[in-house]
């Protein structure tokens, strides 16, 4: 199975809604059921992808903060700057995946 992906999840969610709507319009219960299942699968994939992205962002924040502090203590301005950049990117990723 592939990694959870927000784009793929959104596709399946929307496709499920369309299939369910066709089932509702035609009275085809198999289409209604299939659409509901695909929509639920898509929503689950979106949530899983967000959780994964949030966890990755949190890890980047911690590692970035660590590198920044080590760089500051040792006087390594390059490591400090790199750590600050990684921490900032991690913050952005966690915000994006809330």
């Amino acid at each position: 199975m592939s990694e959870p992906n927000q784009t793929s999840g959104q596709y399946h969610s929307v496709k499920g809604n369309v299939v369910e709507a066709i089932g509702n319009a035609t009275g085809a219960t198999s289409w209604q059921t299939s659409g509901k299942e695909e929509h639920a699968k898509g929503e689950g994939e979106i949530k899983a992808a967000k959780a994964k992205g949030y966890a990755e962002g949190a890890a980047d924040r911690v590692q970035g903060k660590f590198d920044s502090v080590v760089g500051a203590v040792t006087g390594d301005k390059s490591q400090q700057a790199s750590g600050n950049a990684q921490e900032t990117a991690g913050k952005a990723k966690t915000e994006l995946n809330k």
Side-chain angles (χ1 to χ4, degrees):
M1 186 174 168
S2 63
E3 294 281 322
N5 179 298
Q6 288 189 45
T7 303
S8 172
Q10 189 65 39
Y11 167 79
H12 288 290
S13 177
V14 170
K15 181 181 172 198
N17 284 339
V18 170
V19 170
E20 182 181 1
I22 291 169
N24 289 337
T26 63
T29 57
S30 64
W31 280 58
Q32 292 169 346
T33 302
S34 174
K36 285 179 185 178
E37 289 172 356
E38 185 153 6
H39 172 76
K41 175 186 168 192
E43 290 297 309
E45 185 172 1
I46 291 167
K47 287 179 182 175
K50 284 187 168 210
K52 181 178 181 289
Y54 188 90
E56 289 170 351
D60 283 345
R61 287 176 73 174
V62 169
Q63 184 62 51
K65 186 67 165 179
F66 175 80
D67 287 347
S68 176
V69 169
V70 169
V73 168
T74 62
D76 185 341
K77 298 293 182 189
S78 175
Q79 182 178 13
Q80 185 177 5
S82 175
N84 286 337
Q86 185 176 9
E87 182 182 10
T88 300
K91 284 179 184 177
K93 195 167 190 176
T94 56
E95 287 298 315
L96 181 67
N97 288 290
K98 277 189 173 179

